[in-house]
Amino acid sequence: MAGQRMSVTRRTVLRGAVAAGALAGAAATLRPTAAVADPGRRVVVLGGGVAGLTAAHELAERGFDVTVYERRALGGKARSIAVPGTGRDGRPELWGEHGFRFFPGFYKHIPDTMRRIPFAGNANGVWDNLVAAPEARFSRQNAPDTIIPMGRAGKPWATPDDFRETVGSAISTSTKMTDTDALYFANRLLVFNTSCDARRYGQWDKVPWREYVGAGRRSTEFRMLLSRTLTTLLVAAKDDLASTLTIGNMGEQFLGNPLEVGNDGALDRLLNGATNEAWINPWVARLRDLGVKFVSGEVRGLEVADGRISAARIVDASGAAQQVEADYFVTALSTEVARTLWTPEILALRPDLAGMSQLMVDWMTGIQFFMRTQTDIARGHVAYVDSPWSLTSIAQNQFWNRTPLTGFGDGSVRDCLSVDISDWNTPGMLYGKPAKECSPDEISREVWAQLKAHLNDEHVLLRDEDLHSWFLDTGITWDAAQHRNANADPLLINTAGSWALRPVSHTAGLENLFLAGDYVRTNVDLATMEGASEAARTAVNALLDVSGSNAPRCRLFTLYRATELEPFRQLDIGRYAAGQSNLFDAPL
């Protein structure tokens, strides 16, 4: 079908989610002076998730004329999802989620943006809607559970021996792991933390986490907690696939920084309300106030002329095909969508994009259980260590101080147990099938059974009669004929060796194309909203360079590295170049 060529106009504005008038008013009062877009400053952003909204935000503040195209819903995987038909007597509908939100203290790009999103009554904008979770629970089936305080812990350390003893002691005390296993893991973390960049990217990225920690030769507790659970919690990946570079980076932040040096806030944070209310809707209102336009449309291809992207082929909400022109194009699409756009012509100009075809995606998706009673499971996140589907959860009402759950739905819901399913490939305990082969009703029953198996072994914490209803992420669709689910929102998995397959945000090969997805090489190196934000900022900085803009560049942050270990990292540069092992890398 021939498309109609068009330029971006304000008449194509997406009539999507709009924040309340009070929020828009607050945004207007804090609006900075923005320059009128000059010729050559039109930007099309493809994708309205965290990466796309971040890119639009940074560009609009710098005077660019920005239009965002989003095929489904603004906020992407981070959005809330209204549960249809649940509102009663003037109350809004219950909120579902793709998965519960988690804002670790070492996140810096997302918090920096949140401080620039006005929110009525908040001095620091949306950032003030973050609240700390004081503890985490590791729940075992037919075994005592472990509750770990999430505040600052441990003591300062100054030497590698101090590091091993401090981290090892913290692990053995909090997990009931043997001192031998705990000290061994602490030493593996020390090896990574004292490795130079060349070793991290050249050696450890190619090694699966299970192999790196020698899980096959350790205790069952070690394998379950520090190999299997750690990887599924962080990247929804199996420990025999996950890159040591990625998991090691996260270990360096969570375990190698007990005093939370340089953190933006508490180690474990979440929002004080539904994500759309507490973050996404105010963000969209802010961007509208800055002049950003939102269009409902799905990108179907990119046109190339004279070494540049000349237009994007868009199918709008009515099904009509259009050719959208702009000076610059930012692709803020997920891995599996973006790589469908790389035609032979584009790959000839940007051969580094070819590796994306080998990147692995998997599923990590949420289901919410709405409860008639307040749950008393943990004052924070819960990991169900022995669950076949690698479940984690958070009881939300204890943190939703803005609007308690009784203010939604029919008024009888008093809590929401929001659960992430990280393993969709392992057979469950109830039906003996993986989640990918279970109907939505079977998924809800299976997850509920796995939760009860962990939580009801000593005291009954979950009762069937307290369950009001449940909601499965709408990205999961069931094909009854094929007896299989499809997932519209898979997650990039950083498998061993995947760093070399991931592209940078921009090269001279395609001058006006910039990549802002979480598959782009970033410092945080994890498919998260923080990675998406960092990638978007990197894309915007490259766009500013190409356009010749003198606007301030976006702030970019680095992950924490202990200064006490820097001399050993410097020493490791020479050892790695000479083919020697890390100084602390004893045989497994």
Side-chain angles (χ1 to χ4, degrees), residues 4 77 96 123 153 159 170 173 191 250 255 292 334 412 465 485 498 522 587:
Q4 175 186 0
K77 295 185 183 75
T159 68
T173 301
V191 169
M250 295 303 99
L255 300 174
V292 175
S334 58
S412 67
E465 56 267 32
N485 285 297
S498 61
T522 59

Side-chain angles (χ1 to χ4, degrees), residues 132-361:
E135 66 185 24
R137 178 172 185 161
F138 288 81
S139 184
R140 303 299 301 264
Q141 189 172 342
N142 300 318
D145 291 356
T146 301
I147 296 179
I148 302 175
M150 296 302 289
R152 295 185 178 183
K155 60 180 180 65
W157 50 267
T159 68
D161 285 341
D162 282 347
F163 178 93
R164 275 188 292 250
E165 292 173 6
T166 300
V167 175
S169 176
I171 292 173
S172 62
T173 301
S174 59
T175 66
K176 303 180 178 67
M177 194 175 295
T178 65
D179 290 343
T180 300
D181 273 354
L183 285 172
Y184 170 80
F185 180 81
N187 191 73
R188 297 310 294 163
L189 190 59
L190 176 65
V191 169
F192 185 87
N193 289 9
T194 56
S195 291
C196 64
D197 280 341
R199 190 185 299 278
R200 293 185 186 208
Y201 292 97
Q203 180 179 356
W204 298 141
D205 179 61
K206 301 173 183 178
V207 177
W209 179 249
R210 180 191 291 178
E211 179 183 332
Y212 177 78
V213 297
R217 293 178 288 276
R218 312 310 298 183
S219 67
T220 300
E221 189 77 1
F222 183 101
R223 292 195 300 273
M224 292 298 296
L225 288 179
L226 298 180
S227 189
R228 177 180 182 267
T229 301
L230 191 61
T231 52
T232 53
L233 281 177
L234 293 176
V235 297
K238 294 185 181 297
D239 52 357
D240 60 343
L241 297 175
S243 164
T244 292
L245 171 66
T246 300
I247 306 302
N249 278 337
M250 295 303 99
E252 193 168 26
Q253 307 312 304
F254 283 110
L255 300 174
N257 186 15
L259 299 183
E260 300 174 22
V261 177
N263 273 17
D264 176 80
L267 182 62
D268 185 0
R269 298 174 295 181
L270 55 156
L271 291 166
N272 64 359
T275 309
N276 272 31
E277 292 186 338
W279 178 24
I280 301 300
N281 286 358
W283 198 3
V284 172
R286 178 57 169 165
L287 298 186
R288 290 184 188 277
D289 188 57
L290 289 171
V292 175
K293 300 169 285 295
F294 296 97
V295 180
S296 178
E298 180 178 0
V299 60
R300 295 290 177 85
L302 299 172
E303 302 288 347
V304 179
D306 300 324
R308 293 171 57 86
I309 302 298
S310 59
R313 299 195 303 274
I314 303 290
V315 174
D316 65 19
S318 69
Q322 301 168 336
Q323 300 272 10
V324 178
E325 297 176 334
D327 301 300
Y328 307 100
F329 293 84
V330 177
T331 62
L333 303 165
S334 58
T335 308
E336 71 284 355
V337 175
R339 60 191 177 192
T340 65
L341 303 178
W342 310 146
T343 62
E345 189 175 11
I346 289 176
L347 292 175
L349 295 168
R350 281 209 57 173
D352 63 310
L353 300 180
M356 285 184 61
S357 64
Q358 301 178 56
L359 294 177
M360 178 179 174
V361 296

Side-chain angles (χ1 to χ4, degrees), residues 365-556:
T365 309
I367 183 171
Q368 286 75 49
F369 294 97
F370 299 106
M371 310 295 295
R372 295 189 178 92
T373 59
Q374 186 89 11
T375 60
D376 185 22
I377 299 172
R379 296 179 301 156
H381 292 93
V382 181
Y384 300 87
V385 177
D386 304 309
S387 57
W389 290 1
S390 296
L391 306 178
T392 51
S393 76
I394 188 79
Q396 293 179 321
N397 194 60
Q398 61 185 314
F399 300 103
W400 284 19
N401 53 35
R402 292 186 54 253
T403 308
L405 276 159
T406 51
F408 297 91
D410 61 10
S412 67
V413 173
R414 284 169 168 72
D415 211 343
C416 173
L417 191 60
S418 187
V419 183
D420 270 357
I421 306 170
S422 297
D423 188 337
W424 287 73
N425 302 301
T426 298
M429 57 182 288
L430 198 61
Y431 297 103
K433 297 187 295 184
K436 287 182 178 178
E437 298 176 11
C438 290
S439 69
D441 186 65
E442 288 174 332
I443 289 174
S444 69
R445 293 175 183 273
E446 179 71 56
V447 172
W448 186 250
Q450 293 184 30
L451 296 177
K452 290 199 300 181
H454 281 74
L455 296 175
N456 290 355
D457 47 0
E458 293 185 26
H459 306 283
V460 177
L461 298 179
L462 292 181
R463 300 187 307 172
D464 293 344
E465 56 267 32
D466 293 333
L467 179 59
H468 174 279
S469 55
W470 54 269
F471 175 78
L472 180 64
D473 177 19
T474 53
I476 300 295
T477 54
W478 172 245
D479 186 333
Q482 298 296 321
H483 299 285
R484 193 166 185 84
N485 285 297
N487 187 354
D489 301 301
L491 181 72
L492 172 69
I493 304 299
N494 290 357
T495 55
S498 61
W499 179 264
L501 303 174
R502 291 161 56 192
V504 296
S505 177
H506 178 259
T507 71
L510 267 173
E511 182 185 45
N512 66 336
L513 177 66
F514 307 87
L515 311 183
D518 59 13
Y519 56 84
V520 173
R521 294 182 183 182
T522 59
N523 180 63
V524 74
D525 187 43
L526 188 63
T528 57
M529 52 191 173
E530 175 74 356
S533 179
E534 182 185 345
R537 290 163 179 251
T538 303
V540 170
N541 284 347
L543 191 155
L544 295 175
D545 291 342
V546 170
S547 69
S549 172
N550 60 3
R553 271 37 181 179
C554 306
R555 294 188 67 187
L556 292 172

Side-chain angles (χ1 to χ4, degrees), residues 92-140:
E93 293 171 323
L94 293 165
W95 285 114
E97 305 265 356
H98 170 75
F100 54 73
R101 303 281 75 78
F102 174 38
F103 298 82
F106 66 83
Y107 278 15
K108 295 181 181 178
H109 297 91
I110 288 289
D112 178 68
T113 297
M114 296 176 97
R115 288 184 174 91
R116 291 184 280 127
I117 303 171
F119 194 93
N122 287 359
N124 299 299
V126 164
W127 186 87
D128 284 339
N129 290 338
L130 292 174
V131 293
E135 66 185 24
R137 178 172 185 161
F138 288 81
S139 184
R140 303 299 301 264

